[in-house]
Amino acid sequence: MNHTPHPDHTPTPRPVRFMGLYDWMQSFVIVFLPIILLLTFVGHTMAVRQESMSPTLHDGDQMIVRSIFYTPRRGDVVIFSKRDFRDGEALVKRIIALEGDVIDINGTTGVVYVNGEPLTEPFTSGPTFHMGNIDYPFLVPAGHVFVLGDNRNNSQDSRHRSIGPVDEREIIGQVVAVIMPINRAGLIIG
């Protein structure tokens, strides 16, 4: 018995010349649209313009910054802006302590203490010998965080009265990843 397909059941093939474009567009929507939406509504990209976070971040690194639904935590790398410091220039530093915490630094050994406990800081460029110009022990006021650069001996941060503790409302967001240059791309772990 010879069956010929009914004309209503024969699928219409797509032209071959548009198959590649269609697949490319579909891939773009599936992969890049969520990233674009995420960056637009949840975070954004910024560039590092300082060496105070070396070796974690370098001058010129492009970062993804999460701006909403963020609550400060110890170890997070954040972007913040102080209106009265360098015309509100955005700075990037690591949160070392939260409100109510007590900071102390032993300038001889270079060890940072939070609430009497020494910090384990594998991300720093070396011991913390630079004390700044604040008095220790330092109590972090309510609604503020204490930040330090990972390049501890070459960073202007909460150890300096010109910056001091950072009001949580001055935090722009948390640095979650480096995206450029490609050879440095990766997540920033707190």
Side-chain angles (χ1 to χ4, degrees):
M1 213 180 214
N2 189 359
H3 291 288
T4 53
H6 189 275
D8 293 337
H9 297 293
T10 306
T12 306
R14 287 184 289 183
V16 175
R17 62 189 166 119
F18 294 111
M19 184 76 80
L21 179 62
Y22 176 79
D23 289 341
W24 183 88
M25 292 291 288
Q26 186 178 21
S27 296
F28 176 81
V29 169
I30 290 170
V31 174
F32 292 106
L33 187 61
I35 293 171
I36 292 169
L37 291 173
L38 180 71
L39 290 176
T40 302
F41 296 108
V42 179
H44 54 282
T45 62
M46 292 185 81
V48 175
R49 296 287 174 233
Q50 55 202 20
E51 288 292 335
S52 68
M53 283 300 292
S54 179
T56 305
L57 298 169
H58 297 279
D59 186 38
D61 283 357
Q62 290 286 327
M63 312 164 292
I64 294 178
V65 179
R66 180 175 72 154
S67 299
I68 62 173
F69 306 120
Y70 173 67
T71 302
R73 297 173 309 170
R74 282 187 201 101
D76 288 350
V77 175
V78 295
I79 303 281
F80 64 94
S81 179
K82 306 266 298 176
R83 280 172 291 207
D84 53 347
F85 182 78
R86 293 187 189 163
D87 297 323
E89 171 189 347
L91 301 171
V92 58
K93 308 290 179 192
R94 187 179 300 272
I95 296 176
I96 300 303
L98 305 171
E99 66 179 12
D101 287 339
V102 176
I103 301 293
D104 206 354
I105 299 175
N106 183 321
T108 304
T109 63
V111 176
V112 177
Y113 295 86
V114 175
N115 301 325
E117 296 293 321
L119 294 182
T120 303
E121 303 179 293
F123 43 77
T124 63
S125 62
T128 307
F129 296 118
H130 181 67
M131 303 287 288
N133 60 6
I134 64 169
D135 297 322
Y136 297 96
F138 183 86
L139 175 66
V140 182
H144 290 72
V145 296
F146 193 91
V147 298
L148 295 176
D150 287 356
N151 188 357
R152 292 293 167 77
N153 298 305
N154 188 21
S155 175
Q156 214 169 354
D157 46 40
S158 291
R159 296 172 289 180
H160 302 272
R161 289 186 187 108
S162 59
I163 294 179
V166 175
D167 190 313
E168 291 181 9
R169 295 171 294 187
E170 296 172 321
I171 295 175
I172 296 167
Q174 176 193 13
V175 178
V176 294
V178 171
I179 55 173
M180 292 295 281
I182 293 295
N183 65 331
R184 295 192 28 76
L187 296 177
I188 300 295
I189 307 298

